[in-house]
Amino acid sequence: MAEQAVESEQQAETHEFQAEARQLLRLMVHSIYSDKDVFLRELLSNSSDALDKLRLESLVDKDLDVDTEDLHIQLERDPAARTLTVRDNGIGMSHDEVVGLIGTIARSGTAELLEKLKSAQETQGSDLIGQFGVGFYSAFMVADRVTVVTRKAGETVGTRWESEGEATYTIADVPDAPQGTAVTLHLKPVDTDDGMHDYTDTGVLRRIVTRYSDFLAWPIRMEVERVKKGEDGESDETVVEPETLNSMKALWARPRSEVTDAEYHEFYKHISHDWADPLETMRLQAEGTFEYQALLFLPSRAPFDLFTREAKRGVQLYVKRVFIMDDCEELMPEYLRFVKGVVDAQDLSLNVSREILQQDRQIRAMRRRLAKKVLSTVAGLVKSEESEDRDKYRTFWSQFGTCVKEGLVTDPDSRQDILDIASFDSTRSADEQTTLAEYIERMPEGQEHIYYLTGRSREMVEKSPHMEAFTSKGIEVLILTDQVDEMWVDSGAEFQGKTFRSIAKGEVDLDGDGEGDDSTDEATKEQFAGLLEWLRETLSDEVKDVRLSSRLTTSPACIVGDEGDLSPELVRIYRQLGQPLPDVKRILEINPEHALVTGLRESHATNADDPSLPEVAQLLYGTTLLAEGEELPDPHRFAQLLAGRLAAGLG
């Protein structure tokens, strides 16, 4: 340990910290990091870097006399002395490097950046850090004194650095120091209320290593006590054995040919806490100016909290195999929040924060590419001719389709990719959904639009009066019952040159082939002109227009909106979100061939002053609302009118 080299030290020199370093130490002690456990992550990362550098240097410099057979990191704990040492046999540091890298922050940044960090700390909480590398200083969160003994590979004399994290540090030469670096922490008292755990406890150390450093490429070892049966088979004896704490299995860094599906599935279950195998595994490797690797998974079932505010979302972020954060929302759009996996970046700071990620251009580029990878993977399942892939797709869409459709609103750049993989209920089949490509392939010649109708349930949509003419003519209509459908379908979306058209809005001309009897249409309009004008006046408080309908075959009337109007369901959604909207008057369309409408026309023509006719008009409007599943503006008034008409009929 570091103390063993004290006897052969030369006289120690005392130095003052650079001003910026003193400020940084004060901030560190007051928890710039939100979790004190990360000190060990930082020290282990430094050790891993040192081992990487030694391996590279030994390959470049053939004359370098170093042993690279057993490169590793060692955790040495002394509960009695309250010390923890993180030791590696890596590249080590020279005397000048110790002064330059630890005694100052000249390599880390400037006073100006430090001031920004301090300001951000005061205004945004204790989670912001990462503009420069300051990982070593995190040791002072948990230690009253830190000692570093190091010797650079190829040199004969080492260096001992020590400080209590205040204004000064001491530095001295150590002739017999081992190659590499040993950082010894003289730990503060345990205070679990303040997040200060016992960092000499094997269980605590195992937990931290597993969480933050499990996939480092180098073994992290620690000697642990184990109880074994004695040779007599009865008495127990305590033995000390080395234990490797990390798995070193960064599956995303290994070639696909070297990893089995079982290993991928086990890894997925480890990071997702799911008991089922994933539907699909996706690998991505980006090279060039910004390098990263990703291993992503599509789950086979939706989590129970998929649509709750508190749901965890996003993939895990690593930097050079070092765990940075769970549920990194910045790496995956919200509509793909169910995707699990890891992203391992090469060029990010280990201390990167969520605030910095939100502003990072490279992170945004990664987010776009990761989303595109997920969508293209699902598209491959859609287009596959293999029944197994099609089954996977159907499972995926049944579990996550509603969630994915949120992207049609929030991610316009990916709208076409999402529409490519989307499936919808339609009037063609009660059992199987259809993709838009399949819908268009079945469209009759001359059909210019993708017809749809929104509603709260399939049953309600199928029974809607708006469906009558489309059903009679065999024209397929998409049935959209998710709330998110109300949001995206009116946003100008189109697919393969076909626009989406609500059958409950505007005027519908299903005889646009020119074969309709225009003379009959004109005669009908003239015949009903008086009734239409009277209904407009009578129902002026409820509707903005009354006209003849070409979409009805069996119902007497229906309510439709203008092309640009919000649907009643969308108005309800906005109001539930606290956005009050004015009532939107719609249009009443009447069926000129229905007995109720023709009877009303005849009664109006012969006795326009009949006081019961306005009541019939109100009842016609009310029953039309009920047929659409809408709420009556005045249910009590409607019930009275209906009861009166029934009584008159019985009389």
Side-chain angles (χ1 to χ4, degrees), residues 64-76:
L64 186 64
D65 184 19
V66 293
D67 182 8
T68 59
E69 287 297 317
D70 185 27
L71 298 180
H72 66 279
I73 303 168
Q74 186 78 25
L75 297 183
E76 300 170 356

Side-chain angles (χ1 to χ4, degrees), residues 181-219:
T181 301
V183 180
T184 299
L185 284 69
H186 302 264
L187 297 166
K188 296 178 181 179
V190 175
D191 184 355
T192 54
D193 291 338
D194 191 37
M196 190 78 66
H197 303 292
D198 183 359
Y199 297 111
T200 65
D201 182 85
T202 56
V204 171
L205 296 175
R206 280 196 197 95
R207 174 181 59 79
I208 298 173
V209 171
T210 300
R211 175 171 173 77
Y212 288 108
S213 306
D214 194 46
F215 303 116
L216 285 180
W218 307 105

Side-chain angles (χ1 to χ4, degrees), residues 118-134:
K118 184 177 181 180
S119 174
Q121 163 71 10
E122 292 172 352
T123 58
Q124 297 183 12
S126 60
D127 194 33
L128 179 60
I129 195 169
Q131 296 287 354
F132 42 82
V134 292

Side-chain angles (χ1 to χ4, degrees), residues 250-259 264 281-285 293-297 370 373 377:
L251 298 187
W252 59 86
R254 293 163 57 186
R256 177 66 179 88
S257 58
E258 295 181 6
V259 186
Y264 279 136
T281 301
M282 298 163 284
R283 291 174 54 99
L284 184 64
Q285 181 162 342
Q293 297 169 310
L295 178 60
L296 306 175
F297 300 93
L370 293 172
K373 177 65 175 178
T377 298

Side-chain angles (χ1 to χ4, degrees), residues 370-647:
L370 293 172
K372 191 172 185 64
K373 177 65 175 178
V374 173
L375 296 177
S376 64
T377 298
V378 178
L381 299 178
V382 173
K383 298 172 184 176
S384 175
E385 296 181 358
E386 298 291 333
S387 60
E388 181 181 357
D389 288 341
R390 294 291 295 176
D391 289 342
K392 285 183 180 180
Y393 166 72
R394 281 189 283 269
T395 298
F396 168 81
W397 194 254
S398 68
Q399 295 292 310
F400 304 107
T402 301
C403 190
V404 173
K405 285 191 289 186
E406 294 174 10
L408 295 171
V409 179
T410 61
D411 188 4
D413 292 338
S414 299
R415 180 174 291 167
Q416 289 305 308
D417 293 331
I418 297 172
L419 289 176
D420 276 336
I421 65 172
S423 286
F424 305 93
D425 288 334
S426 85
T427 53
R428 176 178 176 270
S429 172
D431 302 318
E432 294 185 6
Q433 292 187 317
T434 182
T435 64
L436 294 177
E438 292 168 340
Y439 177 97
I440 289 178
E441 187 176 345
R442 293 191 295 267
M443 282 172 50
E445 186 176 351
Q447 183 177 331
E448 296 298 325
H449 306 290
I450 300 172
Y451 291 113
Y452 72 88
L453 184 60
T454 59
R456 300 181 190 178
S457 68
R458 181 184 182 109
E459 181 182 16
M460 185 176 293
V461 171
E462 286 180 326
K463 293 180 178 179
S464 170
H466 299 104
M467 281 285 192
E468 293 173 2
F470 290 85
T471 301
S472 67
K473 293 181 178 295
I475 298 176
E476 185 175 0
V477 178
L478 299 182
I479 300 173
L480 308 182
T481 57
D482 291 328
Q483 282 194 347
V484 68
D485 292 326
E486 298 280 358
M487 303 282 192
W488 70 265
V489 78
D490 278 340
S491 61
E494 62 175 42
F495 186 78
Q496 294 184 9
K498 304 292 185 181
T499 57
F500 290 84
R501 180 78 176 270
S502 171
I503 67 172
K505 290 184 180 181
E507 296 194 53
V508 173
D509 179 16
L510 299 183
D511 294 318
D513 53 10
E515 297 180 0
D517 187 347
D518 293 338
S519 62
T520 302
D521 292 342
E522 289 301 322
T524 303
K525 290 177 183 177
E526 184 177 349
Q527 188 179 17
F528 280 84
L531 177 64
L532 292 175
E533 185 61 32
W534 176 77
L535 285 172
R536 291 188 189 104
E537 294 177 4
T538 305
L539 300 175
S540 59
D541 291 340
E542 288 83 12
V543 300
K544 59 178 158 184
D545 194 13
V546 182
R547 66 191 182 204
L548 298 180
S549 179
S550 61
R551 70 184 92 210
L552 298 173
T553 59
T554 59
S555 297
C558 67
I559 297 289
V560 301
D562 274 336
E563 286 291 348
D565 288 349
L566 296 178
S567 69
E569 185 63 25
L570 191 54
V571 170
R572 271 193 294 271
I573 292 172
Y574 280 127
R575 287 175 176 170
Q576 289 172 359
L577 295 174
Q579 301 183 33
L581 294 174
D583 290 328
V584 178
K585 288 184 179 181
R586 293 191 291 163
I587 301 166
L588 178 67
E589 286 191 355
I590 59 175
N591 181 0
E593 298 181 359
H594 194 279
L596 175 58
V597 175
T598 57
L600 184 59
R601 180 189 64 80
E602 293 171 358
S603 296
H604 177 265
T606 58
N607 189 8
D609 296 329
D610 185 348
S612 67
L613 290 183
E615 295 182 356
V616 176
Q618 290 291 340
L619 288 171
L620 175 64
Y621 173 68
T623 54
T624 302
L625 288 178
L626 291 174
E628 289 295 313
E630 301 293 331
E631 295 180 0
L632 294 171
D634 189 348
H636 179 69
R637 167 68 174 159
F638 179 82
Q640 282 186 324
L641 292 176
L642 181 60
R645 297 303 300 177
L646 290 174

